[in-house]
Amino acid sequence: MKSVSLVLLLARGIYAGPDSSCTQLGPQIRSVMTLLDQSRTSEAQALLSDASEASLPCPDRLLALARLRAAENKFDESGKLFTQFLETGPTNPEGPFYFGAMLLRIGYYPQAETLADRALTLNPSHVGALTLKGRLLLMRGQAAESQHTLERAIALDPKYAEAHFQLGTLFDRRKQHESALREFEAVTALTASDARAYDYMALNWEQLGDTIRAAKAFQRGLACNSGPLSDSFLDFNYGRFLLKQDRLQESREYLNRAVTVAPKVRAVLYERAKLLLRMGNFKDAVQDAVRALDTPDPGHVILDSQLYSLLAVSFSRLGSVEEADKFTRLAAETGIPPRSADRK
Amino acid sequence: MRFAMMPVLLTLFWGAWESTGRPAPPIHFESGLAASGIGFVLRNGTVPEKPIIDTTLGGVALFDFDNDGFLDIFFTNGAAIPGLVKDGPAFWNRLYRNNRDGTFSDVTAHSGVAGEGYSMGVATGDFDNDGYMDLFVTGVNRNTLFHNNGDGTFTDITQRAGLLGFGASEKKAWSVSAAWVDYNLDGKLDLFVSSYVDWSMATNSLCGEEGKRLSCAPATYRGLPNYLYRNNGDGTFTDVSEITGIAGHVGKGMGVAIADYNGDGYPDIFVANDNERNFLFQNDGGKRFHEVGISSGVAFTEDGVPVSAMGADFRDLNNDGRPDLVVTALEGETFPVFLNLGNGFFSESSYQTGVGPGSLRKSGWSVGAYDFDNDGNKDIFTANSHVSENAPLYGPHLYKQSNSVWRNQGAGKFQDVSTQAGAAFRVLAAHRGAAFGDLDNDGRVDIVVSSIGERPEILLNRSSRANHWLLIQTKGKSSNRDGIGATIKVTSQDGMVQYNHVTTSVGYASASDKRVHFGLGKNARVREVEVTWPSGKIQRVPGIAADRVLLLEEP
């Protein structure tokens, strides 16, 4: 990751460089880009390897290669290539857009926003850059600006699925479930294999109390849960959903898988502990809850008090009076952060 | 319209319904307001600052104050803000006498129960065992005990009874709900009072933006302990909150519900706390209470978080002989259903029971578990509304909401049938209190619901009459005269077994009919009624014909 920082230093002076063209490689590079858009990384790699060494300085090839490396999670190499591209193709908004998208993936949010802004300076109607910017605005809590930006992207290209997806997440956060569903349905109409969108759809149907549609959305998501649009929390969310439906054995299957995928996520361990408690497997419930308690949860998704409460009940059910009293006391004494001061 | 005509009209109605070829809805209510003559409007005296008190009022009571066999209706009411004074008849609490023909007469002025201050809730019970039900009215820093004189009038005996405040200093608190309960089984009804938050106009906080203020969340204010008064038997009460352990637990109490959850013969007390963990006060031998909410599993949802609990009812929902809990909460939380597993444990089962999905988008206040279609399974009704009048100005919230009814399909599974239960369930209002009872003694449980700024809803149960029923009125001898706390087991002719108990403390800030209702399905006879009186006496009455009010006196 250190070399990414280095790349970012380089990126400050990226906009001056020689202009060049690769007309003979144009169709091939366009195919590579399309394959990368579709997340068909190996095919893109094979096609790109066919390009001759002589064409290495070609900016479009650099961009394609940078994107390929990003898709392969080779972020340092990708960063260097993006920087080279920006040096050679300073007026092409694709460079800062894709570089910004990559930096967002690895958590360099301010730098990603700088690059999104740069792309939009070069082309104010760049739908990808608008979407990237909208997403970053939402992360900064500027929901109204984010919504405006994303809606502009959709107006420019209603078939750009990612803009619908990001707008859907915005509505989801605001608990505007009907609006969120409209966007996620647009996503899946455009990209039938977006497991993330199905997961969100399911969660929103669930919030609207429609468990039948929620279950269908979960199942459709699980059927396509692989590749770049996969959702690593789909097993968890479906397992949690099944637990609520009292389908305990099925829930166990998905929550076990979720624990395998994310063994150090407190929420996952907690959910399985709840399942085990419901199943009357109190000892294992305690084991998962204790593991969860030892697992850092920087996002405060599952509070200590929730685990204390679960441990209090589990130990009570086990007849371990001393432990039950200890965790009852802790649950009672550990404050739960108050919600908003307003009733809205 | 006279009730005497009702059976004929209903037969015509159902005949017409069935002739359309559509199956009759199993649970169906009609509004009886227009014919009732009830003009009461629940006034919260709201001001632009939207102080928190203006959202939480609206208790209703159904009780037979004149012992004529028909339920009368009492409504609590607000007061002017900031003075918290009932500065005119518009703010009076109101008592309506049931004329036994579908109409009611306002007897407030004559009865003397108009009250003072900003009233919240009501509890009904015959605390002095004189055969007439008395009224305890809770309010903001002012509670009132009205003694029923038996001649249609009541006397405010709060001061004489020692109920002006709490503790030696007679501290005032904002009380919401109250329950008459004989916690020490001495044959005299004691009084439990839930307290909400430490609020006054001087400490009032402002929430939301100017011009569209919101009710502040309870987190804005310090919580208060609840109170328990022991009945001394001479018309006075002693505050026993400290010595019984009740005062040691500070919450933000709203609804109160009573049941003997662990079957030890002593009534236990559940307090629904607003955005804090709920309390379950386990009665240890009538001397002390042990708060077991967390370890028993009713303090939080299964997710280990508190909800904005409002109302509660504590009854056996699945006919396993153990009282379960149903609690209302706010939008996005679901209404928790805690099923009693026995051995002192509950399991939060909102989704498994089917109540979860339908309640997720509702904010509930009063709640009651009654068998509305007389099929032998208790259904659930909730009175719904968002808390804040101005909430819709901040997002996709509905302030005025329709009420909900879930039909118990047996085996502890509920189905939301609100949309099929009649036009009355499409009325959007700021519903608050609700009380349950059979207003016309036709064997079907009716509901009276209060709504802020509007006349109440008189929901007359017009579900099919195909099923049989039994309404049991208990009269204690060595137990308290109302028989509050008695548990009743009914075994129908076909072997169906049901359980219920005598309580008037139901829902949110409200009091319901003390008579215990049982739907019997197709059973025209009951094989046996078994009553376990608070005194410990067990009474078994065999071979009873259905479809009547049965008076059972303690042997």
Side-chain angles (χ1 to χ4, degrees):
Chain A
M1 206 63 89
K2 279 180 184 169
S3 50
V4 172
S5 307
L6 190 64
V7 166
L8 289 169
L9 287 172
L10 291 171
R12 289 179 185 163
I14 51 184
Y15 303 113
D19 191 14
S20 61
S21 59
C22 306
T23 43
Q24 74 276 20
L25 277 174
Q28 198 172 350
I29 295 296
R30 275 197 295 277
S31 301
V32 170
M33 296 296 248
T34 304
L35 289 168
L36 286 169
D37 285 342
Q38 295 167 351
S39 308
R40 293 157 67 183
T41 311
S42 358
E43 290 166 74
Q45 188 178 30
L47 193 58
L48 200 57
S49 303
D50 291 345
S52 71
E53 286 297 315
S55 62
L56 261 177
C58 167
D60 286 350
R61 186 179 188 282
L62 269 178
L63 181 60
L65 197 57
R67 286 189 62 196
L68 179 66
R69 293 295 175 256
E72 292 167 343
N73 296 334
K74 295 174 180 171
F75 301 116
D76 286 347
E77 197 181 336
S78 171
K80 284 176 191 164
L81 291 163
F82 273 126
T83 306
Q84 280 182 48
F85 171 80
L86 293 172
E87 285 168 349
T88 56
T91 58
N92 185 345
E94 299 299 314
F97 161 59
Y98 284 117
F99 195 6
M102 191 271 274
L103 291 175
L104 173 66
R105 274 181 64 197
I106 58 176
Y108 286 86
Y109 307 122
Q111 295 86 344
E113 192 162 6
T114 302
L115 287 160
D117 288 340
R118 177 65 190 162
L120 288 171
T121 304
L122 296 169
N123 178 6
S125 299
H126 191 288
V127 174
L130 281 168
T131 305
L132 180 61
K133 177 73 179 178
R135 188 175 169 188
L136 287 157
L137 285 167
L138 183 60
M139 290 171 77
R140 276 208 274 124
Q142 292 176 248
E145 293 87 342
S146 170
Q147 182 178 348
H148 175 74
T149 308
L150 292 168
E151 284 173 347
R152 191 162 160 245
I154 290 169
L156 287 164
D157 182 0
K159 291 188 175 175
Y160 191 65
E162 189 61 20
H164 287 288
F165 181 82
Q166 296 303 336
L167 188 58
T169 63
L170 182 148
F171 288 133
D172 173 77
R173 269 200 208 187
R174 284 186 183 160
K175 299 184 190 302
Q176 290 174 244
H177 305 297
E178 289 90 350
S179 301
L181 280 165
R182 192 182 60 231
E183 298 306 323
F184 293 125
E185 274 161 7
V187 175
T188 54
L190 292 162
T191 315
S193 60
D194 193 335
R196 304 169 311 160
Y198 287 119
D199 194 7
Y200 269 108
M201 273 170 76
L203 295 172
N204 279 279
W205 280 125
E206 201 183 341
Q207 285 300 307
L208 287 172
D210 192 332
T211 51
I212 294 168
R213 282 192 168 111
K216 277 184 188 161
F218 275 128
Q219 282 151 11
R220 290 180 73 184
L222 287 163
C224 63
N225 198 18
S226 60
L229 300 178
S230 66
D231 187 324
S232 53
F233 280 91
L234 193 51
D235 286 322
F236 165 72
N237 282 329
Y238 191 48
R240 182 195 49 73
F241 174 80
L242 291 169
L243 172 58
K244 279 188 178 175
Q245 303 303 309
D246 218 21
R247 292 159 64 181
L248 303 185
Q249 290 301 340
E250 293 167 87
S251 171
R252 186 174 204 165
E253 180 192 334
Y254 287 96
L255 289 178
N256 280 346
R257 203 188 296 172
V259 170
T260 307
V261 172
K264 291 185 177 170
V265 175
R266 183 185 266 204
V268 174
L269 292 165
Y270 174 66
E271 204 63 29
R272 193 170 70 172
K274 275 167 53 187
L275 167 76
L276 293 165
L277 173 61
R278 181 92 69 77
M279 295 177 96
N281 193 344
F282 308 124
K283 280 185 182 167
D284 287 347
V286 165
Q287 201 174 24
D288 268 3
V290 169
R291 259 179 81 188
L293 209 47
D294 290 339
T295 304
D297 185 26
H300 304 289
V301 177
I302 300 297
L303 305 170
D304 287 355
S305 60
Q306 292 173 267
L307 289 159
Y308 295 148
S309 169
L310 191 144
L311 284 163
V313 174
S314 301
F315 278 119
S316 291
R317 303 288 292 272
L318 282 166
S320 307
V321 178
E322 203 173 309
E323 291 294 303
D325 285 350
K326 173 186 155 188
F327 285 105
T328 297
R329 199 173 54 251
L330 281 168
E333 288 170 357
T334 307
I336 292 174
R339 294 177 206 163
S340 156
D342 298 339
R343 291 279 207 187
K344 61 181 180 186
Chain B
M1 184 182 296
R2 301 182 66 83
F3 282 137
M5 287 294 292
M6 202 60 88
V8 179
L9 292 174
L10 285 171
T11 305
L12 292 171
F13 169 78
W14 288 114
W17 180 280
E18 282 157 14
S19 69
T20 64
R22 284 180 293 181
I27 296 178
H28 189 78
F29 285 85
E30 288 176 6
S31 174
L33 179 65
S36 70
I38 292 173
F40 170 78
V41 174
L42 176 60
R43 297 185 195 277
N44 64 356
T46 191
V47 289
E49 292 80 9
K50 301 291 174 196
I52 188 171
I53 56 168
D54 79 1
T55 62
T56 53
L57 73 174
V60 184
L62 289 185
F63 74 125
D64 181 9
F65 82 91
D66 53 1
N67 285 345
D68 68 348
F70 281 78
L71 290 174
D72 310 295
I73 309 175
F74 178 78
F75 296 101
T76 63
N77 208 349
I81 297 175
L84 308 189
V85 173
K86 293 188 191 297
D87 58 8
F91 285 117
W92 285 5
N93 302 324
R94 293 279 170 178
L95 178 62
Y96 287 91
R97 191 185 63 224
N98 189 332
N99 298 326
R100 311 181 209 177
D101 60 359
T103 69
F104 294 80
S105 296
D106 186 340
V107 294
T108 310
H110 174 71
S111 63
V113 293
E116 293 176 8
Y118 205 101
S119 304
M120 286 276 147
V122 55
T124 54
D126 179 9
F127 78 88
D128 57 352
N129 291 329
D130 67 352
Y132 290 93
M133 292 197 87
D134 308 295
L135 282 175
F136 182 74
V137 178
T138 64
V140 181
N141 303 330
R142 183 195 291 261
N143 297 330
T144 310
L145 177 60
F146 290 106
H147 175 254
N148 187 336
N149 302 319
D151 59 358
T153 67
F154 290 75
T155 303
D156 178 349
I157 60 161
T158 316
Q159 185 166 12
R160 177 158 40 102
L163 296 173
L164 274 181
F166 304 104
S169 63
E170 293 190 335
K171 180 182 171 358
K172 305 290 191 293
W174 173 358
S175 306
V176 174
S177 296
W180 290 104
V181 50
D182 183 6
Y183 81 92
N184 53 2
L185 306 185
D186 65 353
K188 299 183 289 284
L189 288 177
D190 311 296
L191 184 61
F192 182 91
V193 184
S194 77
S195 309
Y196 191 43
V197 296
D198 190 4
W199 174 93
S200 70
M201 274 311 291
T203 60
N204 183 55
S205 292
L206 296 175
C207 292
E209 298 163 29
E210 193 168 357
K212 47 180 187 175
R213 294 287 185 207
L214 296 160
S215 180
C216 292
T220 317
Y221 302 100
R222 201 166 50 88
L224 295 170
N226 302 295
Y227 295 94
L228 179 64
Y229 292 102
R230 189 183 62 222
N231 186 337
N232 299 322
D234 58 359
T236 68
F237 292 79
T238 300
D239 184 345
V240 292
S241 316
E242 291 285 348
I243 60 166
T244 55
I246 293 290
H249 301 273
V250 174
K252 290 166 184 171
M254 301 291 266
V256 175
I258 312 285
D260 176 11
Y261 91 101
N262 54 1
D264 66 352
Y266 286 89
D268 309 296
I269 302 169
F270 176 81
V271 180
N273 281 314
D274 189 359
N275 212 359
E276 303 247 338
R277 66 189 167 95
N278 299 316
F279 295 147
L280 177 55
F281 291 108
Q282 179 184 283
N283 188 337
D284 291 340
K287 292 182 172 61
R288 281 192 64 82
F289 287 87
H290 182 201
E291 203 286 295
V292 296
I294 292 173
S295 57
S296 67
V298 300
F300 303 112
T301 65
E302 191 181 32
D303 276 325
V305 292
V307 294
S308 307
M310 298 292 180
D313 200 5
F314 207 161
R315 292 178 202 274
D316 181 6
L317 296 171
N318 49 7
N319 288 335
D320 64 357
R322 297 187 289 259
D324 309 296
L325 270 161
V326 54
V327 179
T328 50
L330 297 189
E331 183 183 320
E333 295 178 327
T334 75
F335 300 165
V337 175
F338 298 99
L339 292 181
N340 190 334
L341 305 174
N343 299 319
F345 299 111
F346 290 79
S347 170
E348 198 254 296
S349 308
S350 313
Y351 277 88
Q352 297 93 294
T353 54
V355 173
S359 64
L360 198 52
R361 304 280 281 170
K362 299 278 190 181
S363 293
W365 294 81
S366 207
V367 55
Y370 289 84
D371 184 359
F372 297 117
D373 55 0
N374 285 336
D375 67 349
N377 295 304
K378 294 179 197 75
D379 312 295
I380 296 171
F381 170 91
T382 61
N384 303 325
S385 159
H386 198 290
V387 177
S388 282
E389 188 180 358
N390 287 331
L393 302 176
Y394 291 85
H397 305 290
L398 206 55
Y399 172 56
K400 294 185 176 183
Q401 298 181 1
S402 57
N403 295 322
S404 298
V405 61
W406 282 266
R407 181 169 180 260
N408 189 335
Q409 300 170 297
K413 299 284 182 192
F414 291 81
Q415 183 188 10
D416 186 347
V417 295
S418 313
T419 55
Q420 301 129 60
F425 279 81
R426 291 194 285 274
V427 173
L428 300 176
H431 300 110
R432 288 296 184 271
F436 304 83
D438 187 354
L439 288 169
D440 48 5
N441 289 333
D442 68 352
R444 296 174 293 186
V445 177
D446 309 300
I447 311 168
V448 177
V449 190
S450 68
S451 304
I452 294 174
E454 294 181 62
R455 291 168 73 195
E457 281 159 44
I458 311 296
L459 300 177
L460 298 177
N461 189 337
R462 295 295 174 248
S463 307
S464 164
R465 302 190 78 142
N467 290 330
H468 298 281
W469 55 275
L470 191 63
L471 202 51
I472 298 176
Q473 181 166 346
T474 49
K475 185 176 175 186
K477 200 163 148 189
S478 49
S479 302
N480 67 83
R481 181 149 174 163
D482 286 328
I484 285 176
T487 58
I488 304 176
K489 176 184 174 186
V490 167
T491 307
S492 305
Q493 199 66 43
D494 66 359
M496 176 170 69
V497 178
Q498 296 178 64
Y499 301 85
N500 212 329
H501 58 276
V502 184
T503 181
T504 59
S505 182
V506 179
Y508 174 76
S510 296
S512 290
D513 188 0
K514 69 177 179 182
R515 299 175 300 180
V516 186
H517 171 266
F518 289 90
L520 300 173
K522 302 300 172 201
N523 293 280
R525 289 189 72 77
V526 163
R527 191 186 296 169
E528 183 183 80
V529 173
E530 178 184 297
V531 181
T532 304
W533 293 88
S535 63
K537 287 177 193 162
I538 296 175
Q539 180 181 15
R540 293 188 180 89
V541 185
I544 297 161
D547 303 328
R548 65 187 177 115
V549 179
L550 175 71
L551 176 65
L552 287 180
E553 295 191 40
E554 184 177 11

